[in-house]
Amino acid sequence: MMTNGIYILANDVVYDQLIALLNSIEVNAGRKIPICIIPYNDRLDKVRAEIASRDNVTLFEDTDSIAYWDNFATQVWKNYPRAQKNWREWGFSELYELPMHRKFCALDGPFDKFIYFDADTLLMGEIDYIYEKLDSHDWVVNDFQYKSDLKYIFDGSPELIQQVFPEENLQSKIFCAGWFATKKHIFSQEFLGNIFEKLNTGEVDAMAFVAPDQSLFNYLVLRSRISYYNFAYHGGQKATGNHWSSNFDVIDNVLYDQGRRLTYLHYMSISSSSFTKLCAAEDVSIPYRDVFLHYRYLKSPEQRPQSFNHQNPLMRLQKSTTSFINQKVNNIKLNYRNFKDKISR
């Protein structure tokens, strides 16, 4: 029997977001769906305890798969001179955001058809229509990345991009790697085995590298020529915004876009520390804050902060000074993803 499920990449650093996401799935998915947590790293004490309390949630423990995809991403990015040069100049490691590539492990997991969620999301509505679309397509998304500049996914020369991706209307086929649906083993071993030869001929230079996992996902989906569908691009009743910068209506802790219920809300580019501070009763401004807190404390309402502490001006100044570089990086990444301007139908 075919098994549908959900994967989430997480560790203890995003614990508060993970709890909110799990609760939102339980309330809004319409039925109990198996969930598997992919470990971002070994910081999993709180995650393991939470998994033990939920009968439909498991931990991905296929160490061979984790090693395979860690090595796969390492080989891609260590052999990309332009990425290595820029990351060094920016003070990043030579394997910048390597753990983000562990979401590829979902391709090896127990679910035949699955939806992947970044931990910084909340489910707002039922998702059976996504699984149903996988009956006719291999890769399914519902986002507006296609409205951003192509260079945020592929920033090689126009000539190289045309050579690597001769598809018509390439712009319409790019997507955000924070939420997508596909099938187990969708990329054949033959394809994956041959991909380094293609990358080493210069194709790697087509990829952008500020969000490396996203560039690599887009490259593999397009290069493999598997069938692809984006609800947001094709329109219809399931096409809504999903980014926190949009102006949504809130009804009973569910978000609506011009009367249409969202499938999910993505808190892309908002740091996990902001959610941690909020849950520690610090007065942090987060879009749809009450909605997030509702799901975070759905099963433990007595623990929800009832009041929030304001920082004094001196502390705010000190924090803003010491975190200036990190904020610059976050701004670069936000602009890079380029959702903030116009996520709308």
Side-chain angles (χ1 to χ4, degrees):
M1 183 177 176
M2 297 279 287
T3 303
N4 297 341
I6 289 171
Y7 291 101
I8 303 168
L9 182 69
N11 67 357
D12 286 351
V13 174
V14 296
Y15 176 76
D16 291 306
Q17 293 162 280
L18 175 63
I19 300 304
L21 173 54
L22 290 174
N23 288 339
S24 72
I25 293 172
E26 182 173 321
V27 171
N28 296 323
R31 60 185 175 87
K32 182 172 284 190
I33 298 176
I35 300 170
C36 184
I37 309 297
I38 299 172
Y40 181 88
N41 56 22
D42 294 332
R43 299 178 62 179
L44 297 168
D45 291 344
K46 292 192 288 186
V47 170
R48 288 181 185 276
E50 186 62 31
I51 288 172
S53 72
R54 297 176 184 255
D55 60 9
N56 65 317
V57 184
T58 58
L59 183 67
F60 187 90
E61 298 185 284
D62 184 342
T63 54
D64 288 341
S65 174
I66 292 172
Y68 175 85
W69 289 110
D70 280 355
N71 180 66
F72 186 93
T74 296
Q75 295 306 310
V76 170
W77 296 108
K78 285 193 73 171
N79 291 290
Y80 186 175
R82 189 160 62 93
Q84 291 295 312
K85 176 178 180 294
N86 281 274
W87 289 344
R88 282 195 302 271
E89 291 176 353
W90 297 343
F92 296 164
S93 72
E94 65 177 1
L95 294 175
Y96 174 60
E97 289 199 344
L98 179 66
M100 289 297 294
H101 295 79
R102 289 190 173 187
K103 62 182 72 174
F104 278 101
C105 291
L107 300 171
D108 302 326
F111 307 135
D112 298 290
K113 295 192 294 187
F114 64 84
I115 304 173
Y116 170 81
F117 289 70
D118 271 352
D120 60 347
T121 51
L122 294 173
L123 185 64
M124 291 285 112
E126 61 88 22
I127 49 179
D128 281 341
Y129 77 96
I130 299 288
Y131 295 117
E132 291 168 4
K133 184 58 72 172
L134 287 172
D135 291 335
S136 57
H137 292 79
D138 293 322
W139 199 276
V140 177
V141 301
N142 191 352
D143 68 62
F144 288 83
Q145 183 73 44
Y146 73 88
K147 286 193 172 185
S148 69
D149 196 303
L150 183 64
K151 70 181 181 181
Y152 299 126
I153 303 295
F154 303 120
D155 68 349
S157 68
E159 295 77 17
L160 176 60
I161 292 175
Q162 175 63 32
Q163 175 186 330
V164 177
F165 308 115
E167 292 88 351
E168 292 185 11
N169 197 13
L170 175 63
Q171 183 79 35
S172 70
K173 298 179 175 67
I174 60 175
F175 60 91
C176 171
W179 199 95
F180 61 84
T182 187
K183 307 168 188 177
K184 186 174 183 176
H185 300 321
I186 195 62
F187 302 127
S188 70
Q189 284 302 308
E190 180 183 10
F191 168 74
L192 293 173
N194 293 333
I195 202 67
F196 291 107
E197 180 181 347
K198 299 182 183 300
L199 289 168
N200 290 337
T201 62
E203 290 191 8
V204 69
D205 203 49
M207 290 194 293
F209 42 80
V210 173
D213 65 289
Q214 181 156 285
S215 294
L216 185 54
F217 266 111
N218 276 265
Y219 173 82
L220 292 177
V221 169
L222 284 162
R223 203 66 180 84
S224 65
R225 291 181 167 80
I226 58 177
S227 56
Y228 168 85
Y229 187 88
N230 185 347
F231 281 94
Y233 179 78
H234 291 286
Q237 290 298 314
K238 299 300 183 182
T240 69
N242 52 58
H243 191 264
W244 57 263
S245 63
S246 298
N247 185 22
F248 300 126
D249 296 317
V250 181
I251 303 175
D252 295 331
N253 294 295
V254 172
L255 301 183
Y256 292 81
D257 183 356
Q258 300 181 46
R260 295 182 178 183
R261 185 168 181 161
L262 270 64
T263 299
Y264 68 100
L265 175 70
H266 197 175
Y267 280 113
M268 181 192 304
S269 78
I270 298 180
S271 69
S272 59
S273 63
S274 295
F275 294 92
T276 302
K277 292 173 183 176
L278 177 66
C279 294
E282 188 171 322
D283 191 18
V284 179
S285 177
I286 292 175
Y288 308 105
R289 186 169 85 167
D290 287 342
V291 173
F292 171 80
L293 289 170
H294 168 77
Y295 291 108
R296 167 61 183 89
Y297 294 102
L298 188 70
K299 294 177 177 293
S300 54
E302 73 284 353
Q303 297 177 15
R304 178 174 174 167
Q306 299 303 307
S307 61
F308 297 90
N309 301 317
H310 296 269
Q311 291 180 353
N312 64 53
L314 179 58
M315 286 185 65
R316 283 202 302 268
L317 178 61
Q318 289 173 336
K319 283 196 172 185
S320 65
T321 301
T322 56
S323 65
F324 177 75
I325 298 300
N326 287 336
Q327 186 60 55
K328 291 284 284 185
V329 171
N330 285 338
N331 288 342
I332 291 171
K333 291 173 71 175
L334 178 57
N335 291 332
Y336 178 88
R337 305 270 183 153
N338 200 32
F339 274 110
K340 191 174 181 180
D341 55 348
K342 48 178 180 180
I343 301 299
S344 63
R345 292 183 292 105

